[in-house]
Amino acid sequence: DTHLTQSPLSLSASVGDRVTITCRASQNIFTYINWYQQKPGKAPEVLISAASNLHSGVPSRFSGSGSGTDFTLIISSLQREDFGTYYCQQTYTTPRTFGQGTKVEVK
Amino acid sequence: QVQLVQSGAEVKRPGASVKVSCKASGYSFTNFYIHWVRQAPGQGLEWMGTINPSDGDAGYAQKFQGRVTITRDTSTSTVYMDLSSLRSDDTALYFCARDDWARVTTPPAEYFRYWGQGTVVTVSS
């Protein structure tokens, strides 16, 4: 299985801060990584597919980068509504696996 | 618009089985895979398996092999996830999700674009 390790597992930042979340894969997955945001009690929503492809309707303050084993999700200017848990997911190998999640709190 | 509507909450005894449904609408049912993902209380997302609605071919995570069966009914555009020999640690929120493809890579990159609302399954004696 392809294991995904996210860091940090939680963070607290202020409105306007730049936030960086990383995801490391246990093997080369090229750019087959997606990022999701999940609010409590709700289903996840896709933010970015294929490492850097911003999903329709997602604010441009979100961006993704990376290839191979190291990936990054950046929120360039944190907004109050960006609270929640962020997950990376790989779809290069089966089983499809997720990172442990990064819980983001807005101060 | 695309919708995935799941069946309601379930409470089961240890050792029992549960069958959760996911009814799809708003698109051609046989054109996209459906996946099942679960989330234990306070925990992360865990992929369980998937089905190709076109031919019914299903694949499962090793962890659930022998306990989970995913099927579909094309006449009602519904996918079912059957989990047997339930244990207390199967208590979770279960989601179905429909995939889509980002055609910015070769081959295209799969992602989970649409999700059901989730079904709470509680296993308790």
Side-chain angles (χ1 to χ4, degrees):
Chain A
D1 296 6
T2 301
H3 188 68
L4 299 178
T5 303
Q6 285 184 234
S7 64
L9 297 184
S10 66
L11 64 92
S12 180
S14 300
V15 171
D17 283 354
R18 179 182 176 91
V19 169
T20 301
I21 299 170
T22 65
C23 178
R24 174 162 286 178
S26 60
Q27 66 182 85
N28 184 0
I29 56 171
F30 301 92
T31 56
Y32 293 94
I33 196 90
N34 308 311
W35 290 95
Y36 300 85
Q37 177 194 63
Q38 186 182 32
K39 300 285 179 79
K42 300 292 188 182
E45 295 184 358
V46 63
L47 299 171
I48 286 168
S49 60
S52 61
N53 187 48
L54 192 69
H55 189 64
S56 174
V58 175
S60 59
R61 62 181 179 273
F62 291 93
S63 65
S65 64
S67 66
T69 60
D70 292 304
F71 303 90
T72 302
L73 173 70
I74 292 175
I75 309 173
S76 60
S77 177
L78 189 69
Q79 300 301 303
R80 198 154 296 281
E81 61 267 29
D82 297 336
F83 76 93
T85 302
Y86 292 79
Y87 293 93
C88 57
Q89 175 207 32
Q90 66 80 25
T91 54
Y92 182 66
T93 64
T94 298
R96 308 310 198 207
T97 47
F98 293 87
Q100 317 98 299
T102 297
K103 187 173 183 178
V104 173
E105 175 197 77
V106 181
K107 292 178 187 173
Chain B
Q1 73 282 23
V2 174
Q3 279 195 301
L4 299 175
V5 178
Q6 298 182 221
S7 49
E10 301 267 9
V11 179
K12 296 291 182 181
R13 299 291 191 204
S17 296
V18 68
K19 192 167 190 174
V20 181
S21 67
C22 172
K23 183 172 175 61
S25 62
Y27 70 98
S28 179
F29 177 67
T30 55
N31 282 2
F32 297 90
Y33 281 54
I34 294 287
H35 300 258
W36 288 90
V37 176
R38 77 177 188 179
Q39 186 169 38
Q43 302 301 308
L45 302 169
E46 182 174 35
W47 183 84
M48 299 179 69
T50 185
I51 189 166
N52 179 352
S54 178
D55 61 11
D57 187 37
Y60 309 111
Q62 182 83 10
K63 174 178 178 176
F64 301 102
Q65 285 278 0
R67 280 211 305 143
V68 68
T69 305
I70 301 174
T71 57
R72 96 299 190 208
D73 180 345
T74 56
S75 69
T76 60
S77 299
T78 302
V79 173
Y80 299 93
M81 188 281 297
D82 199 322
L83 186 62
S84 63
S85 303
L86 289 169
R87 308 184 288 254
S88 58
D89 62 359
D90 291 317
T91 294
L93 181 58
Y94 289 76
F95 294 103
C96 62
R98 196 209 85 175
D99 71 4
D100 207 334
W101 300 86
R103 301 184 189 280
V104 295
T105 58
T106 303
E110 181 190 42
Y111 65 100
F112 294 1
R113 181 170 183 174
Y114 300 100
W115 295 69
Q117 82 277 19
T119 297
V120 175
V121 175
T122 302
V123 182
S124 175
S125 55

